[in-house]
Amino acid sequence: MSGAAAMQTMSPPGDAGGPRSARPVRMTPARWGLYAFLAITAAFFLLPLWVMVVTSLKTMNEIRLGAIIAPPLAPTLEAWAKAWSSACTGLACDGIRVGFWNSVKILVPSVFISILVGSMTGYALSFWRVPGANVLFTAMMIVAFIPYQVFIYPLVRVFAFIGLGQSIATIVIVHTIFGLPTMTLLFRNYFSSLPIELFKAARIDGASFYQIFFRIMMPMATPMIVVAVILQVTGIWNDFILGLVFAGRENLPMTVQLNNIVASVQGEREYNVDMAATMLTALLPLVVYFGSGRWFVRGIAAGAVKG
Amino acid sequence: MASPRMSSRASAYSALLPAFIVLAVVYIGSTVWTMWMSLTGSRMLPNNNFVGLRNYEILFSNDRWITSVHNLAFFGVLFVAISLALGFLLAVAIDQKVRSEDSWRSVYLYPYSMSFVVTGLVWQWLLNPTLGIQKLVRDMGFETFTFDWIAHAETVLYCLVIAGVWHAAGLVMAIMLAGLRGVDEDIWKAARVDGLPTWRVYASVVTPMLGASFATAGVLLSTSVVRLYDLSVAMTRGGPGIASEVPAKFVMDHLFERANISLATAAATSMLITVIAVVAPYMYWRTRVAARGRA
């Protein structure tokens, strides 16, 4: 399917040149090869999404008889309905909607608080000289690389000790903690690129630390906030291990519940329901990704410069 | 950065308070506690009976841990090498002024927006021997075709590599493409004046200039290797047998299922040391480069 799309895009012998060459390049065998390479790799990347969608629209009978990549003969949303409202995890058969709403409950405060704390930390680190700030920043950059397994057990004990245990509040704090390095870096780099005169002028006008932050810096940082929201929404939605450990049995996020639904087999596995549940879980990040376009790449680039 | 000496330093401290608490409690406190636990005889509950390095002796004679480490090394080398190679090739291909560049890029990058659980489950389904790709090819007439890697201990790791590369190659592509776009226009002009063929310019001039992009991508991929957990859990549950167990899963299982805190923390500390061994030289190199840039 993507092969055909590639053919169409390349059919008019275009003015596409070699890298940065001024002269137009005709459709040489080398360029055919180039497009063939792009098309074949694109097929590899698109195959799972295609299979996920078509499987979720089939009946189990059709899945057993037909080819995995074939489009559904009679598309049905039955598997989606079942995945959403009646798929089982263990004895509970309430569907993945439970996990969806748990994830929403975790996501909204986590994104908001992690960005607020991260941006404020980044702001304080870029405009204010505070003793110990360098140590703090270096530690954060190192910690961004360290596997969660190092921190998990002590954190479980700390949250038990302060009485939060496993709860929505706990998982929100945990997401804020582990989002802090990237968020701080993102905003520190952005604020550092702003002219210092802006800050000085506000100081002379008598604005306080927090007035400058909320009235001047945050409105200017709107593009960074968009990037941060994209990063945190996809990151927190896709989290598995932290939600598993810190959210508690009643608040398991969608990824964990998805894994439990697929794992708890009673009788024959229903691949169409599994794939519908998988698709439902992947939907939000996909919407964010395709909806945000280049912003997502900006987010990755900003997140990738850590260290 | 100027440092305005103003009065409301207290406000700055209040804003940094959460970060300092995290630094003290999580970064330093938890790490030290985890390392200390690994030197004690803690089982279901933590205790402070110092036992020296005994847990590490037990750990490194534990079959499952040894297998986990081997698996991680095997997966890591293949995953990083293939992702870097494929991502680089895709970036170079896209850099040839192809039509609808944005569409190609979105196709290669979209898997990176999805979770490892989703990735693992989709690939588990595709690689399913009874109903997946194997059946597809057999139904096309190749009745002896076999592609049941996921069901065999010797080949299951390749399945994790396929899924991992599918997830991450687009990220490498994005980083490399940014690097390629940063290459000075004059270098291309000079090479064209010299009559060098395009592939020669890439091989001998441009690729060596992309050192920083390769390092960034390599470090990002390597840290995701050490963190590998969700993919193994969702796709194979560590199986068949213990053939796709990984260190992160070893730690989690020993913490929460086998109630062996000291062994779990010894494993976690071993992971920490490995990461530092990878990241420290990279950080040092980054600092050096930054210092030279400023000079």
Side-chain angles (χ1 to χ4, degrees), chain A residues 6 9 12 17 22 31 38 48 60 119 131 139 164 173 194 232 264 269 286:
Chain A
T9 53
R31 290 201 56 84
L38 286 174
M60 267 317 286
S119 58
L164 283 175
I173 297 173
L194 296 178
Q232 289 301 81
S264 69
R269 261 186 78 172
L286 281 177

Side-chain angles (χ1 to χ4, degrees), chain A:
Chain A
M1 67 208 141
S2 52
M7 297 293 182
Q8 275 167 11
T9 53
M10 59 198 248
S11 51
D15 55 350
R20 281 126 204 172
S21 74
R23 72 199 144 86
V25 167
R26 268 157 271 111
M27 282 307 293
T28 60
R31 290 201 56 84
W32 282 98
L34 175 72
Y35 279 102
F37 170 71
L38 286 174
I40 290 166
T41 43
F44 165 72
F45 282 96
L46 286 173
L47 177 72
L49 185 59
W50 169 256
V51 165
M52 190 160 41
V53 173
V54 296
T55 305
S56 72
L57 297 174
K58 291 177 186 173
T59 61
M60 267 317 286
N61 212 25
E62 192 183 343
I63 289 173
R64 253 175 277 148
L65 297 173
I68 191 170
I69 57 166
L73 293 172
T76 164
L77 285 174
E78 264 170 53
W80 284 69
K82 183 165 186 196
W84 177 252
S85 56
S86 65
C88 299
T89 47
L91 291 175
C93 294
D94 299 318
I96 201 159
R97 60 183 169 176
V98 181
F100 174 84
W101 290 114
N102 287 342
S103 276
V104 170
K105 272 185 264 173
I106 295 169
L107 184 77
V108 174
S110 299
V111 169
F112 181 76
I113 296 174
S114 66
I115 292 176
L116 182 69
V117 175
S119 58
M120 210 183 293
T121 310
Y123 160 70
L125 287 178
S126 43
F127 290 114
W128 302 77
R129 277 287 152 88
V130 179
N134 275 339
V135 177
L136 184 67
F137 190 66
T138 313
M140 270 195 257
M141 292 310 103
I142 294 171
V143 164
F145 292 107
I146 293 177
Y148 294 142
Q149 281 74 22
V150 175
F151 310 114
I152 275 184
Y153 186 70
L155 281 181
V156 167
R157 302 290 303 184
V158 168
F159 283 110
F161 179 75
I162 60 176
L164 283 175
Q166 296 174 312
S167 61
I168 295 276
T170 304
I171 183 68
V172 169
I173 297 173
V174 168
H175 278 309
T176 305
I177 290 174
F178 290 113
L180 189 60
T182 313
M183 291 301 106
T184 302
L185 181 76
L186 203 67
F187 283 97
R188 193 198 79 135
N189 287 355
Y190 183 75
F191 289 135
S192 299
S193 72
L194 296 178
I196 187 79
E197 286 71 26
L198 194 77
F199 173 77
K200 283 183 178 162
R203 290 293 300 165
I204 290 164
D205 287 349
S208 75
F209 178 92
Y210 286 104
Q211 279 172 334
I212 300 176
F213 177 68
F214 285 111
R215 302 252 179 90
I216 301 171
M217 293 304 163
M218 284 315 265
M220 290 196 68
T222 312
M224 274 305 110
I225 295 172
V226 174
V227 167
V229 167
I230 291 171
L231 271 182
Q232 289 301 81
V233 167
T234 50
I236 292 169
W237 191 267
N238 288 340
D239 159 67
F240 176 80
I241 189 168
L242 299 177
L244 179 67
V245 175
F246 294 102
R249 199 176 294 253
E250 298 302 308
N251 311 310
L252 291 176
M254 201 174 187
T255 48
V256 176
Q257 212 205 348
L258 169 67
N259 189 49
N260 290 344
I261 285 178
V262 175
S264 69
V265 192
Q266 283 137 353
E268 194 196 26
R269 261 186 78 172
E270 294 178 289
Y271 294 105
N272 50 355
V273 176
D274 288 356
M275 282 303 112
T278 310
M279 201 56 222
L280 282 164
T281 311
L283 219 47
L284 179 83
L286 281 177
V287 167
V288 170
Y289 173 74
F290 285 109
S292 63
R294 294 205 166 215
W295 286 94
F296 187 84
V297 180
R298 271 190 80 175
I300 288 180
V305 291
K306 64 182 159 199

Side-chain angles (χ1 to χ4, degrees), chain B residues 133-152:
Chain B
I133 294 172
Q134 175 169 291
K135 173 173 182 286
L136 176 73
V137 179
R138 282 188 181 176
D139 287 353
M140 286 177 353
F142 306 91
E143 275 159 31
T144 53
F145 176 83
T146 338
F147 188 44
D148 53 357
W149 289 359
I150 202 164
H152 296 284

Side-chain angles (χ1 to χ4, degrees), chain B residues 26-147:
Chain B
V26 185
Y27 301 169
I28 300 173
S30 300
T31 311
V32 171
W33 195 0
T34 293
M35 289 163 93
W36 166 247
M37 280 293 125
S38 76
L39 303 174
T40 68
S42 308
R43 302 288 291 183
M44 205 158 89
L45 290 169
N47 65 46
N48 289 325
N49 305 329
F50 182 73
V51 297
L53 294 175
R54 205 182 71 203
N55 292 314
Y56 291 87
E57 284 167 30
I58 297 171
L59 182 67
F60 281 92
S61 55
N62 180 313
D63 274 348
R64 201 181 138 189
W65 172 253
I66 300 290
T67 307
S68 301
V69 172
H70 279 178
N71 287 348
L72 195 72
F74 185 88
F75 169 86
V77 169
L78 280 182
F79 164 74
V80 173
I82 298 175
S83 300
L84 281 180
L86 182 59
F88 175 70
L89 284 178
L90 288 172
V92 170
I94 288 178
D95 198 32
Q96 308 304 309
K97 293 192 174 161
V98 294
R99 299 191 154 250
S100 35
E101 180 190 311
D102 280 359
S103 314
W104 294 110
R105 291 202 326 187
S106 345
V107 165
Y108 301 132
L109 189 57
Y110 88 89
Y112 192 71
S113 72
M114 302 211 272
S115 62
F116 279 121
V117 177
V118 167
T119 304
L121 293 178
V122 176
W123 279 100
Q124 182 197 61
W125 169 230
L126 275 165
L127 298 170
N128 181 312
T130 358
L131 293 169
I133 294 172
Q134 175 169 291
K135 173 173 182 286
L136 176 73
V137 179
R138 282 188 181 176
D139 287 353
M140 286 177 353
F142 306 91
E143 275 159 31
T144 53
F145 176 83
T146 338
F147 188 44

